[in-house]
Amino acid sequence: MKADIISRGYYGWNSRRALQILDQVFPKDAEIQPELVIVYFGGNDSTGPHSSGRGPHVPLPEYIENMKKIGTHLKNLSDKTRVIFLSCPPVDEAKIRNNSSFFSELVRTNELCRTYSEACMELCQELGVKAIDLYTAFQKREDWLDACFIKDGVHLSEEGSKMVAEEILKVLREAEWEPSLHWRSMATEFPEDSPYDLVAADGKRTLNPSEWTYHREIQWE
């Protein structure tokens, strides 16, 4: 093992709700602080406003300010804490229209996604935070509409998730961070040979599998 990875996903949340619990999830006085935090908000923020005033929509100026507060808080957790923001990806508008009866007046368009994505990227330049432009990255693939989403046109398919992972790994590989957070550069925890490892074919030695990768479906770089 090279790292402990904690996934904190809150279904349907926006940056406004994230700010409400930011100090609880990432307390400034915690004894151990994360070395890397990957943040994604924008998909729900960028939905069109509902006539009732309810719903996940966050006006663009507030979204920018919320993300600025989130980024600043995370950067100040420790000198070693690194941050990556994921921008708002595109959506499959046709699939969304086919599922429109499920939600009331839920508006998702690629024009809104583009606007929020660009705002996120500009903010990250201002903050000095690494950012991944998912809106552009997805559309570099010719079949992105068919490949990247499940049937609702919003949530990512397995292939879409792989694309996000590739973009994250690219940032980790190219970032001039000390220490490097790319998985190949990180030390393996408890890498020592052990008599309890798998026994080799010759029956005389054991094989330490701590650095093996051949068994993985995807050979990530």
Side-chain angles (χ1 to χ4, degrees), residues 38-41 63 84-88 120 132 134 164 168:
I38 301 174
V39 180
Y40 165 59
F41 290 104
Y63 166 74
I84 299 174
F85 275 12
L86 307 181
S87 84
C88 182
C120 179
I132 296 174
L134 293 182
V164 174
I168 292 172

Side-chain angles (χ1 to χ4, degrees), residues 106-196:
L106 185 63
V107 177
R108 291 184 185 269
T109 69
N110 279 318
E111 178 59 25
L112 287 169
C113 292
R114 179 190 62 79
T115 301
Y116 280 68
S117 175
E118 290 178 353
C120 179
M121 298 301 294
E122 290 175 7
L123 174 63
C124 288
Q125 281 192 324
E126 176 188 331
L127 294 179
V129 167
K130 298 291 185 183
I132 296 174
D133 183 355
L134 293 182
Y135 185 82
T136 300
F138 274 37
Q139 294 183 79
K140 289 179 179 178
R141 178 168 173 160
E142 291 186 3
D143 64 342
W144 67 274
L145 283 170
D146 297 320
C148 295
F149 306 102
I150 61 174
K151 62 182 180 180
D152 66 5
V154 176
H155 294 98
L156 301 184
S157 64
E158 180 180 354
E159 191 63 29
S161 296
K162 288 178 182 177
M163 292 180 67
V164 174
E166 288 173 355
E167 293 295 323
I168 292 172
L169 285 170
K170 180 180 179 182
V171 171
L172 296 180
R173 184 170 61 249
E174 296 177 355
E176 296 179 355
W177 289 338
E178 292 294 341
S180 171
L181 297 180
H182 186 260
W183 70 276
R184 288 192 182 275
S185 301
M186 297 174 69
T188 297
E189 188 176 34
F190 308 122
E192 300 84 3
D193 293 341
S194 168
Y196 306 117

Side-chain angles (χ1 to χ4, degrees), residues 66-90:
N66 291 345
M67 296 297 280
K68 184 175 183 178
K69 290 176 180 177
I70 291 171
T72 300
H73 178 91
L74 296 174
K75 285 183 66 179
N76 291 335
L77 290 178
S78 79
D79 293 337
K80 293 184 178 181
T81 300
R82 312 301 182 190
V83 182
I84 299 174
F85 275 12
L86 307 181
S87 84
C88 182

